[in-house]
Amino acid sequence: MTHSFAVTTVVGNPKRLSRTLTTAEALAAAVAGPGAGTASFDLAELYRDGIEPPHGGFEHALDRIRAAQVLVVGTPVYKAAYTGLLKLFLDQLPPAALEGTVAVPVTIAASAEHRHLADLQLRPVLAELGASLPVPSLALREDELPELDAHLAKWTGAHLPALAAAARAAEGAAA
Amino acid sequence: MTHSFAVTTVVGNPKRLSRTLTTAEALAAAVAGPGAGTASFDLAELYRDGIEPPHGGFEHALDRIRAAQVLVVGTPVYKAAYTGLLKLFLDQLPPAALEGTVAVPVTIAASAEHRHLADLQLRPVLAELGASLPVPSLALREDELPELDAHLAKWTGAHLPALAAAARAAEGAAA
Amino acid sequence: MTHSFAVTTVVGNPKRLSRTLTTAEALAAAVAGPGAGTASFDLAELYRDGIEPPHGGFEHALDRIRAAQVLVVGTPVYKAAYTGLLKLFLDQLPPAALEGTVAVPVTIAASAEHRHLADLQLRPVLAELGASLPVPSLALREDELPELDAHLAKWTGAHLPALAAAARAAEGAAA
Amino acid sequence: MTHSFAVTTVVGNPKRLSRTLTTAEALAAAVAGPGAGTASFDLAELYRDGIEPPHGGFEHALDRIRAAQVLVVGTPVYKAAYTGLLKLFLDQLPPAALEGTVAVPVTIAASAEHRHLADLQLRPVLAELGASLPVPSLALREDELPELDAHLAKWTGAHLPALAAAARAAEGAAA
């Protein structure tokens, strides 16, 4: 199946240039397909100088989210949930900002016991913003990251067809 | 848009022939489209004589769930969550029983404060069983039921295209 | 510290005489102290013949819950949550049935990834019923059960003082 | 009952000097009792110039949290959860930073439908940090704030004895 989607990535790891960012961008590339436009926002960079981001930076991220068919949302699991940095950004989005957008969480946990916790808390938040969440999240442990390619291949094999169909349907519904 | 989907409905209201059942079946009919096959299971009936359902009844329900493209899952909000009766049935399903199935929760709450609570708890459970949850649940208050047709029309207008696309994609992926 | 509390145990494992029951009763005995009255209800037994339990059995369980200072609530982790059997019982309790009661969940998970999931879903339900939840749950994996005594000793060492104080306070508040 | 507790308040409303802050501080004063030491941190102030707070400010807040017997944690309900600003602060706390601390969430929701949502998500996070959560949160709607005194009196009447006993027990356990 060939496909090409506009994919935007937002990552809420307080450490800039994190492995969460790398992982989320790798998933975004696999989802976008060849030749597709992607944009990626490292919130540790966006909020570096204060919790009110420079107006231009936030507006740019919001524009790219609105233009995206698929939004990849990356976070490490901190204190049994998604990070505050990610939520800080989501809190500033307008109501229903993600209507017509298909979202895919990417979460990285330090231990098996925390694998599902960010995902459990994040999905209701993204749903509140209007996002459609048609497929399971990519929820990895840190010690699985050296085999990221294999995990990505497994995830895309299982879920990319449904994700692509949902992205097309969302577009059709919004048109 | 014309469509026709095999839709199975499972409702966990401990009271037989409940308004939860009526509501879930109305959504199922709207999703299935004209001429489609539907099946509906009232768990208060299925478990009437014991928590181990008669083998035939449970197996029949499982068969119809496996044959369905869309599963409508109905529950009232009891004690801040879905009902135990619904979960009793889900607990007896084999692992990954809902892979390739698109699920839509229908929840009925007695008060506004409880509107989202069954949904919040139910989605991770359905996801654990492998279901895809591409669209928001139909989450109504009891005092909205007299205007069920209007609420159904609004919900299907907003979400049926994405639901239909997801159901088709799930079928394609399973084929 | 010497203490003596009335402790009631309710366990929602669909298999009678389960290890969840054994574990919850062991915690209850440690909490109750020497000479204290305890009662234990195996819901697989209570609901053996139907989801409407024989009136006498349910009323007896409710009486013992009302007489208890501490309620131990045991469940395996099934499908990423507490069991439907446990919730079926909780659903039948009157509103605010657990006001003045201190509750302690005991959960048994088959894998590390599911360790926290029943607890996360159960606490809001017990809180909705009015229970106080002053201490962390005893959340074990199945493969930790051979060392149950050590886990119990660690848990009671860390949490029994706060639990005992909360039980006394709840009693004082209700008097 | 006379009592006197060291109470620290942390509030994660992105708007400085918010009604969430006022409400949380009013609860803190009622819990602390006459003559007790209280400290209050408005995270909108603490993080005003960047998500890495000035070292001294964060350390001071952490010191006062460690010295507190009771921690009041205030947040508005944003996007179906606690705020990112609050979680940003909690994420920076050391592991187990709240062991021996009794925590009380204070949440303010714009609508009835969101009343319980921040609380549901916040409690597991505070528990992960080691906090004890012995009593229900003070969960108010914005339109209840004009009658804050009455709501506070009702809440303290119902829950202060158990909270005080838990705070004393936590202190005893830590001694």
Side-chain angles (χ1 to χ4, degrees):
Chain A
M1 183 176 66
T2 63
H3 64 275
S4 177
F5 294 110
V7 180
T8 293
T9 302
V10 175
V11 172
N13 191 316
K15 191 176 63 172
R16 283 183 289 152
L17 304 174
S18 62
R19 289 186 295 175
T20 318
L21 181 71
T22 315
T23 306
E25 290 181 344
L27 179 73
V31 168
T38 61
S40 177
F41 297 91
D42 188 348
L43 299 179
E45 189 71 48
L46 192 70
Y47 288 99
R48 199 179 183 179
D49 298 320
I51 61 173
E52 282 294 333
H55 188 269
F58 179 79
E59 288 301 318
H60 178 53
L62 182 54
D63 284 349
R64 295 307 299 258
I65 286 175
R66 286 192 158 132
Q69 292 166 286
V70 177
L71 178 67
V72 176
V73 182
T75 181
V77 182
Y78 272 28
K79 316 292 188 199
Y82 50 77
T83 62
L85 180 60
L86 173 62
K87 184 66 164 38
L88 187 66
F89 177 77
L90 298 176
D91 285 349
Q92 295 179 346
L93 296 178
L98 301 186
E99 275 189 8
T101 303
V102 172
V104 183
V106 173
T107 70
I108 312 287
S111 74
E113 305 202 342
H114 291 103
R115 185 195 285 258
H116 298 298
L117 301 182
D119 188 49
L120 269 178
Q121 293 222 331
L122 184 53
R123 290 188 158 246
V125 169
L126 295 172
E128 171 76 15
L129 281 157
S132 171
L133 292 142
V135 292
S137 305
L138 178 65
L140 296 174
R141 294 192 317 266
E142 283 178 11
D143 60 13
E144 292 174 326
L145 294 181
E147 289 80 41
L148 178 58
D149 285 353
H151 289 288
L152 269 180
K154 186 180 168 194
W155 188 93
T156 54
H159 305 301
L160 194 50
L163 178 63
R168 274 184 224 108
E171 192 176 40
Chain B
M1 184 176 67
T2 64
H3 64 274
S4 178
F5 294 111
V7 180
T8 293
T9 302
V10 174
V11 171
N13 192 316
K15 192 176 62 172
R16 282 184 290 153
L17 304 173
S18 62
R19 289 186 296 174
T20 317
L21 182 71
T22 316
T23 306
E25 289 181 344
L27 179 73
V31 168
T38 61
S40 176
F41 297 91
D42 188 348
L43 299 179
E45 189 71 48
L46 192 70
Y47 288 99
R48 197 178 184 180
D49 297 320
I51 61 173
E52 282 294 335
H55 188 271
F58 178 79
E59 288 300 319
H60 178 54
L62 182 54
D63 285 348
R64 295 306 299 258
I65 286 175
R66 287 193 157 132
Q69 294 165 286
V70 177
L71 178 67
V72 175
V73 183
T75 181
V77 182
Y78 271 28
K79 316 293 189 198
Y82 51 77
T83 63
L85 180 59
L86 173 61
K87 185 63 163 41
L88 187 65
F89 177 78
L90 298 176
D91 285 349
Q92 295 179 346
L93 295 179
L98 301 186
E99 275 188 9
T101 303
V102 172
V104 183
V106 173
T107 71
I108 311 288
S111 74
E113 304 203 342
H114 291 103
R115 187 196 285 257
H116 298 298
L117 301 182
D119 188 49
L120 267 179
Q121 295 222 332
L122 185 54
R123 289 187 160 247
V125 170
L126 296 172
E128 170 75 15
L129 281 157
S132 170
L133 293 143
V135 293
S137 304
L138 178 66
L140 296 174
R141 294 193 317 266
E142 283 178 10
D143 60 13
E144 293 174 326
L145 293 180
E147 288 81 41
L148 177 58
D149 285 353
H151 290 288
L152 268 181
K154 186 180 168 195
W155 188 93
T156 53
H159 305 301
L160 195 50
L163 178 63
R168 272 184 226 109
E171 192 176 40
Chain C
M1 183 175 68
T2 63
H3 64 275
S4 177
F5 294 110
V7 180
T8 293
T9 302
V10 175
V11 172
N13 191 314
K15 190 176 65 172
R16 282 184 290 152
L17 303 173
S18 62
R19 288 186 296 175
T20 318
L21 182 70
T22 316
T23 306
E25 290 181 344
L27 179 74
V31 168
T38 62
S40 177
F41 297 91
D42 188 348
L43 299 179
E45 188 72 47
L46 192 70
Y47 288 98
R48 197 178 185 180
D49 297 320
I51 62 173
E52 282 293 335
H55 188 270
F58 179 79
E59 288 300 319
H60 178 52
L62 181 55
D63 285 349
R64 295 307 298 259
I65 286 175
R66 287 191 157 133
Q69 292 165 286
V70 177
L71 178 66
V72 176
V73 183
T75 181
V77 183
Y78 272 27
K79 316 294 189 198
Y82 50 78
T83 62
L85 181 59
L86 173 62
K87 185 65 164 40
L88 186 66
F89 178 77
L90 298 176
D91 285 349
Q92 295 179 347
L93 295 178
L98 301 186
E99 275 188 9
T101 303
V102 171
V104 182
V106 173
T107 70
I108 312 287
S111 74
E113 304 202 342
H114 291 103
R115 186 196 286 258
H116 299 298
L117 301 182
D119 188 49
L120 268 179
Q121 294 221 331
L122 184 53
R123 289 187 161 247
V125 169
L126 296 172
E128 171 75 15
L129 281 157
S132 171
L133 293 142
V135 292
S137 305
L138 179 66
L140 296 174
R141 296 192 316 266
E142 284 179 9
D143 60 14
E144 292 173 327
L145 293 181
E147 288 80 41
L148 178 58
D149 286 352
H151 289 289
L152 269 181
K154 186 180 168 194
W155 188 93
T156 53
H159 306 301
L160 194 51
L163 178 63
R168 273 185 225 108
E171 191 176 41
Chain D
M1 184 175 66
T2 63
H3 64 277
S4 177
F5 293 110
V7 180
T8 293
T9 301
V10 175
V11 171
N13 192 315
K15 191 177 63 172
R16 282 184 290 152
L17 303 174
S18 62
R19 288 186 296 175
T20 317
L21 181 72
T22 316
T23 306
E25 289 181 343
L27 179 74
V31 167
T38 61
S40 177
F41 297 91
D42 188 349
L43 299 178
E45 189 70 48
L46 192 69
Y47 288 98
R48 198 179 185 180
D49 298 319
I51 62 172
E52 282 292 335
H55 188 269
F58 178 78
E59 289 299 320
H60 178 53
L62 181 55
D63 285 348
R64 295 307 299 257
I65 286 175
R66 286 193 158 132
Q69 294 166 286
V70 177
L71 178 67
V72 175
V73 183
T75 181
V77 183
Y78 271 28
K79 315 294 190 197
Y82 50 77
T83 63
L85 181 59
L86 173 62
K87 185 64 164 38
L88 186 65
F89 177 78
L90 298 175
D91 285 349
Q92 295 179 345
L93 295 178
L98 301 186
E99 275 189 8
T101 303
V102 171
V104 183
V106 172
T107 71
I108 311 288
S111 74
E113 304 202 342
H114 291 103
R115 186 197 286 260
H116 298 297
L117 301 182
D119 188 49
L120 267 179
Q121 294 221 332
L122 184 53
R123 288 186 160 247
V125 169
L126 295 172
E128 171 75 15
L129 281 157
S132 171
L133 293 142
V135 293
S137 304
L138 178 66
L140 296 175
R141 295 193 317 266
E142 283 178 10
D143 60 12
E144 293 173 327
L145 293 181
E147 287 82 40
L148 177 58
D149 286 352
H151 289 288
L152 269 181
K154 186 179 168 195
W155 188 93
T156 53
H159 305 301
L160 195 49
L163 178 63
R168 271 184 226 109
E171 192 176 40

